[in-house]
Amino acid sequence: MLSEIINDELPQLLLENEYITRKQLEKAQKRAEEEGKTIDKVLVEMGFVTEKEIAQLLAQHFDVEFVDLDEIEVSQEISKLLPEHMARRYMVAPISLQGDKLVVATIDPLNVDALDDIRLISGYDVKPVMVTETALNRLIDRLYGTTDIVEVSDEVATAIDQIDISDLEFLEEADEEISIDKLREMVDEAPIVRMVNLIISQAINDKASDIHIEPWAKEVLVRYRIDGVLHEIMRLPKHIHPPMVSRIKIMANLDIAERRKPQDGKIHLKHENKEYDLRVSTVPTVHGEKVVMRILDKSSVMLGLDKLGFLPEIREKLEWLISKPYGMILVTGPTGSGKSTTLYACLNKLNTGDKNIMTIEDPVEYQIPGVNQVNVNPKAGLTFASALRAFLRQDPDIIMVGEIRDRETAQIAIEAALTGHLVLSTLHTNDAPSAATRLIEMGIEPFLVASALLGVLAQRLARTICPNCKEAYIPPKEALKDLGLTMIEEEYTFYRGRGCDLCKGTGYKGRTGIHELLIITDSVREAILRRASAAEIRRIAKEEGFKTLQDDAITKVLMGITTIEEALRVVLMGAG
């Protein structure tokens, strides 16, 4: 019944609702006939329409509700109401109980036999809702179990099967021998294109920050970094590697003939009406080129300071600091601690249209309307220092320097801060009190540092407890002791994530900032002038109410935002 509707009625529905053009339909119908596939599958493969759009249209046609399974959480308990063999046979999955009705996800709400059998077995009235086939397969595997290692999704497997490997059988011994012409031919084929697109789109849907494609002797490992931790996603056959890497290189405007040198590029794409930039890096290894793609969500740059996990007191002080007409504000922390995100949030706050804001970055990760952004280009002689000098002749109000790496950049930035400009930048130090001593170690005179510096924000990123499986527990006394919480363990309830499908069993979902903000007061300024150590600056600041990274982490543990273990991990990365 459903297959007849898909072949007979779906094309007309898509045309009437302007999802596709007549020309696209004719191309898809021709290909469907040639390959013996249904029209819906071919339309999705050719990129003319998405699986979700088809499901939503059919749901409307059948007068049933459409449910996006990626946006709801289904309890493992519900699977007890329907045996696995029936779920897989009829391609249905229970998702919730609404009174005396069992809501089941299906791709065929017209299958009366299936609904009758489910009613008989479960003892409930049945309410079918329309879902996509991909999401339904994923849910069935999640509810009833699947193999421990996810090899590849069905879509990726299909793409692999369609790749012609007749000329690639010798790859393990002679990877370099494969001809560039053959590679160019292969990367234009639909299976490779589809597979790379699937890997990228799944990473975006999983909210990954990076995609790692790692070649090994016999296979290719694909891993995503989610909430700061790498997760193995799939393993692919080794013969997939050359055309897959070449496809990514072509998308990033890199040289596919160059396999012995590292290369860097960028891919701009749109996914579900949101714009993303992928920063692509390739490095030759003994088993082939490793590719890492950093996913930059353009909408995330528009976050306000209130979305970055600041405690109200620290946020108010930071907003007060960036409202100053001149001086220097530094953000410190290790790589991947969210420094750039914080700086962009500050720029968004300052970008009111009445100021000349200029940035020099390596590279420009996000483009902000109304802000003049410049990329470092050492080959053309455009360094942080040379750009800063040029900026000072451009009548700027606010200058953002991506990173202070050397004495020359530090000196010019300090001079800019002292001559009526607000300068924002980052520095690699473990904590806020170390920033002043680092500048002095770079060769900047203490009186210049003391005069120019307004404040230093140090930060880390800590994983937050998954809201879906959050539970109270009694932590080990040793962990409490390590974080300095032994005196108050009776007064607070501590939480952790049990681990569920939503958080992939980790117990964590998302991240929040852990911060310390050092305001340069008169007493701190005096300590800088006499070249005091970072430890002494910290002691003086604490006497004036300075809250350390450890204090902030403890507060967020007690608020139930993160766990003791995560707070310890963050603090032990170098908090003072």
Side-chain angles (χ1 to χ4, degrees):
M1 179 70 177
L2 181 66
S3 59
E4 290 173 9
I5 288 173
I6 284 174
N7 282 323
D8 299 338
E9 297 181 37
L10 178 62
Q12 194 57 37
L13 287 171
L14 289 167
L15 287 171
E16 287 172 1
N17 288 272
E18 297 182 350
Y19 281 102
I20 58 172
T21 64
R22 178 73 63 185
K23 194 173 180 182
Q24 287 173 329
L25 176 59
E26 287 167 1
K27 278 186 185 176
Q29 284 174 327
K30 185 181 176 186
R31 185 156 150 187
E33 285 172 19
E34 289 170 356
E35 297 179 5
K37 294 179 180 177
T38 56
I39 189 68
D40 58 326
K41 293 282 191 297
V42 173
L43 284 165
V44 172
E45 285 175 9
M46 296 180 79
F48 295 156
V49 67
T50 67
E51 192 182 6
K52 185 175 177 180
E53 285 170 341
I54 289 176
Q56 287 174 321
L57 194 58
L58 288 174
Q60 190 180 341
H61 184 63
F62 298 145
D63 197 24
V64 296
E65 183 184 351
F66 170 81
V67 171
D68 188 339
L69 290 177
D70 292 329
E71 293 182 358
I72 64 167
E73 182 55 27
V74 180
S75 166
Q76 198 75 37
E77 290 294 307
I78 199 91
S79 64
K80 293 175 182 175
L81 298 177
L82 191 68
E84 179 181 357
H85 73 271
M86 188 171 281
R88 295 194 185 277
R89 178 184 163 196
Y90 288 130
M91 274 296 288
V92 295
I95 58 176
S96 67
L97 274 173
Q98 291 181 0
D100 62 348
K101 284 189 177 176
L102 177 64
V103 182
V104 295
T106 177
I107 55 170
D108 186 3
L110 304 182
N111 191 337
V112 178
D113 292 342
L115 300 179
D116 284 344
D117 284 0
I118 294 166
R119 190 178 293 111
L120 191 66
I121 292 290
S122 68
Y124 287 92
D125 282 338
V126 179
K127 176 188 173 184
V129 295
M130 192 81 182
V131 296
T132 65
E133 186 174 345
T134 302
L136 180 56
N137 279 320
R138 208 159 49 225
L139 177 60
I140 291 171
D141 284 343
R142 205 164 71 210
L143 291 178
Y144 298 101
T146 183
T147 53
D148 289 335
I149 294 178
V150 179
E151 290 294 327
V152 291
S153 71
D154 289 342
E155 289 172 284
V156 173
T158 303
I160 291 168
D161 290 342
Q162 293 174 359
I163 295 169
D164 178 12
I165 62 165
S166 57
D167 292 329
L168 301 177
E169 292 170 359
F170 57 88
L171 278 183
E172 282 181 28
E173 293 78 27
D175 195 298
E176 295 299 329
E177 298 300 319
I178 189 166
S179 76
I180 299 304
D181 288 340
K182 177 63 182 170
L183 272 178
R184 286 190 190 281
E185 192 181 308
M186 292 185 68
V187 297
D188 288 334
E189 292 174 1
I192 279 290
V193 173
R194 191 161 64 252
M195 186 174 64
V196 171
N197 289 349
L198 284 167
I199 288 170
I200 293 171
S201 62
Q202 186 183 329
I204 292 171
N205 290 338
D206 287 350
K207 294 185 166 49
S209 60
D210 301 85
I211 303 168
H212 289 238
I213 296 171
E214 303 170 354
W216 298 103
K218 304 286 186 185
E219 60 190 356
V220 182
L221 187 64
V222 178
R223 298 197 289 171
Y224 295 164
R225 188 177 295 280
I226 302 170
D227 294 335
V229 178
L230 278 170
H231 298 268
E232 181 178 327
I233 301 301
M234 62 183 81
R235 295 185 180 203
L236 302 169
K238 187 64 189 285
H239 68 258
I240 297 300
H241 183 252
M244 182 165 68
V245 171
S246 296
R247 170 63 187 165
I248 293 167
K249 282 181 165 185
I250 285 172
M251 292 169 75
N253 290 318
L254 301 179
D255 182 2
I256 70 168
E258 180 53 76
R259 303 176 204 169
R260 291 185 173 89
K261 291 180 184 175
Q263 295 188 65
D264 294 294
K266 184 184 275 191
I267 299 170
H268 178 77
L269 57 89
K270 210 169 188 179
H271 178 70
E272 294 183 354
N273 292 322
K274 284 177 75 175
E275 289 191 10
Y276 296 86
D277 279 329
L278 271 58
R279 221 163 64 205
V280 181
S281 168
T282 68
V283 172
T285 73
V286 291
H287 295 299
E289 288 179 284
K290 176 180 175 179
V291 179
V292 175
M293 292 182 272
R294 165 66 56 88
I295 301 170
L296 305 170
D297 178 356
K298 291 199 159 190
S299 63
S300 69
V301 72
M302 303 313 288
L303 288 175
L305 289 169
D306 58 331
K307 298 283 193 300
L308 301 182
F310 285 101
L311 293 175
E313 181 189 358
I314 291 183
R315 192 182 78 235
E316 286 168 17
K317 286 181 178 176
L318 181 60
E319 288 179 346
W320 171 75
L321 274 183
I322 64 174
S323 69
K324 298 286 184 183
Y326 58 88
M328 176 185 278
I329 300 165
L330 295 174
V331 182
T332 77
T335 302
S337 60
K339 300 186 296 293
S340 295
T341 303
T342 298
L343 282 179
Y344 279 124
C346 290
L347 289 182
N348 279 324
K349 179 85 176 171
L350 294 166
N351 189 16
T352 53
D354 58 349
K355 297 180 182 73
N356 179 15
I357 304 175
M358 305 192 74
T359 77
I360 175 69
E361 303 169 60
D362 183 20
V364 172
E365 291 188 355
Y366 301 101
Q367 293 175 25
I368 309 174
V371 175
N372 304 284
Q373 296 169 273
V374 176
N375 262 319
V376 164
N377 186 351
K379 288 179 184 174
L382 187 60
T383 62
F384 281 118
S386 63
L388 265 175
R389 282 200 192 89
F391 282 7
L392 294 176
R393 297 189 289 273
Q394 291 275 317
D395 186 31
D397 297 294
I398 299 160
I399 297 171
M400 193 264 270
V401 185
E403 186 184 339
I404 292 177
R405 297 175 181 168
D406 52 50
R407 183 188 178 281
E408 187 182 13
T409 306
Q411 185 74 40
I412 303 165
I414 291 271
E415 287 170 6
L418 290 172
T419 53
H421 309 90
L422 183 66
V423 179
L424 309 177
S425 190
T426 70
L427 197 63
H428 276 286
T429 65
N430 281 334
D431 56 18
S434 302
T437 55
R438 174 64 57 85
L439 288 171
I440 292 168
E441 285 166 6
M442 280 182 171
I444 308 300
E445 290 295 332
F447 76 91
L448 291 175
V449 175
S451 303
L453 206 55
L454 296 174
V456 184
L457 176 76
Q459 67 179 56
R460 300 286 188 279
L461 287 175
R463 291 179 292 171
T464 52
I465 300 169
C466 173
N468 187 57
C469 60
K470 187 175 182 178
E471 63 179 13
Y473 81 117
I474 298 170
K477 291 194 182 299
E478 199 59 40
L480 289 166
K481 185 181 173 186
D482 288 344
L483 205 55
L485 285 169
T486 48
M487 304 299 291
I488 55 173
E489 58 182 296
E490 302 297 325
E491 301 171 36
Y492 289 90
T493 304
F494 295 89
Y495 294 92
R496 67 180 174 190
R498 188 175 59 254
C500 65
D501 294 325
L502 190 67
C503 61
K504 300 188 187 302
T506 62
Y508 297 100
K509 188 74 177 168
R511 291 191 286 180
T512 190
I514 304 291
H515 307 96
E516 65 180 25
L517 180 59
L518 176 67
I519 305 289
I520 309 301
T521 60
D522 289 341
S523 48
V524 172
R525 194 169 285 114
E526 188 273 328
I528 294 170
L529 281 168
R530 55 184 171 82
R531 296 177 183 264
S533 67
E536 190 179 348
I537 292 172
R538 184 185 302 110
R539 180 186 58 76
I540 291 167
K542 285 178 84 169
E543 287 172 4
E544 297 181 336
F546 171 64
K547 302 291 185 192
T548 65
L549 284 168
Q550 182 169 340
D551 295 330
D552 200 64
I554 288 170
T555 301
K556 281 159 186 170
V557 167
L558 300 179
M559 290 169 70
I561 295 170
T562 191
T563 64
I564 289 174
E565 292 77 14
E566 188 68 2
L568 281 169
R569 183 182 72 86
V570 165
V571 168
L572 291 174
M573 278 172 65

